[in-house]
Amino acid sequence: MIRRLEIRDFVLIEHLDLAFEPGFGALTGETGAGKSILLDAVTFVLGARADANWVRTGAQRAEVVLTCDWPEQPEAASLLAEWEIAPDDEAMLLIRRTLDANGRSRAWIQGVAVTQSQLRALGAWLADVHGQHAHHALLTPETQRRLVDRFAEAVPEAEAVARAWQAWQQAKNALDEAIATQGRIAEERERLTWWLREWQPIAFTAEEWQAWEAEYRRLSHAAELQQQVAVALDLLDRDPDGALVAVSRAIRALREVETFHAAIAEPLSLLAAAEAELDEAAASLKRELARFEEDPERLAFLHERISAAHELARKHRVLPEALPALAAEWEKRLAALDAASDLERLQTEERAAHQAYRDAAARLSAKRQKGARRLRDAVMRLLPELAMPHARFEVALESIEPSVHGMERIAFRFAANPGQPPAALAQVASGGELSRIGLAIQVASVGAEAIPTVIFDEVDVGIGGAVAAVVGRLMQQLGTWRQVLAVTHQPQVAACADWHWRVSKRPDSEQSVVTVVEPLAIDARIDELARMVGGAQVDEAARTHACSLLAMSQRGAQDAKG
């Protein structure tokens, strides 16, 4: 629900900082005091279209900041997650919107810049404004469908229909694409098959390629390797003046004089170690020389494979070692093409998905029909109490082509007078009637709708007396479930509120006035109710009547809780 609303330089409002409370709140004041300005500010910060005239005269910019609880509805949470917007430590949602004097508007959610359409999409889940001059969510097909589904406890069925619709569309698209691209698929399949046919004779793994290259280098240089190893052996061991012979002679010479000079022991030890290392090196070279055998057949085989691999790699503009991964992609794509070209299988899958969708849609339709009748009956029971004894309200389920939301469109219809055929709410209901119908629907569906705050703008237009008391009682009842704010001229309605604000104007200078809003304590509230009862002349009788209204509303609230 809304916790705080701060407004700066908006129409006649210089600065307001309002703390909202739970339950039912009343907003009253003289005609023209600026009550509608407050509602305009709320709808503005929730994404309504901006009007440059809303910037207060003399100011450069209007600003509205709204703080509310972090929304619990999955749909709202999904939007915020999609926009990568997270709650603060207190799980509060902060929305800020500004309007420049030139008409440019900007908005932020949790400090993240958002578009007007994003703000409007989220705002629809935060507050529902019922009024003649405000955005009315109740008029939108989406809101009507969502309300009926929740009222009918058909949300799981609606979600199942959406999933079945997506599965059907995927199967249908796969079939349509296969039919439309049979020629292209055949060409691509032939091309992939040819490439794989070129690959199969030389197929290798990345590890095998490395081994082939190493072996090829060794075999192609076998004669040179054998010659150079033989030279090294001659220099080490086989030559009469080789390194091993020279070191052995040096060791024998030093040992003859070792006893005469102790310092000779160290170089003698080093020479002995060198002799051992040289001997091991010579033995290793002899072993390698013995293994050297020229293998022209193996060399030719490797030359053929490696040359073919390089040619295929050049053709596909990759390195030879990348060919195994590329061939795997060809096989994967070929398998997908084979599956896509299986029209009989795709047709079977499309038919099955279509039938699954129709079955899910039928289950949803059955629950919607029952829920629509129950909602219609609940609203119809309330309309006579709201001074509309001859009005008719219907929840129509109009058949449509299959869609993600099912096979019917939900439409709220209304007729104010007998003999008048019910038509769409937006076409036939006046502002006051629309607000009262909205109140009846909200009360009837109190456990189904998920929007936490409901705002009514002059729901009591054209009524008074006992009917106004009924409106107040219904709003009081609705306030036990949701946060309710009502702009009202009826003392019977205002007396039922849990909290009460008064809107008035005061001079700002000799040429201008500003709108102010003040929360009313009990004495000030009695004065305001007395003004609403008695008009300009507030006498003791008006105060007594005001006290009586408050007492009656408090008893009604206690009875409702009891």
Side-chain angles (χ1 to χ4, degrees), residues 224-269:
E224 183 180 356
L225 282 168
Q226 189 173 17
Q227 179 183 354
Q228 296 302 326
V229 169
V231 169
L233 271 173
D234 288 342
L235 293 173
L236 278 175
D237 189 27
R238 297 191 297 199
D239 195 302
D241 295 323
L244 268 171
V245 175
V247 170
S248 296
R249 288 175 181 172
I251 290 173
R252 287 195 298 272
L254 290 176
R255 281 178 176 166
E256 291 179 3
V257 295
E258 179 182 7
T259 56
F260 306 123
H261 187 49
I264 290 177
E266 182 178 354
L268 184 60
S269 175

Side-chain angles (χ1 to χ4, degrees), residues 2 38 59 80 132 134 156 180 242 254 293 322 411 426 446 458 464:
I2 297 175
L38 193 64
L80 292 167
Q132 188 172 5
L254 290 176
E293 293 181 7
V446 69
E458 299 189 1

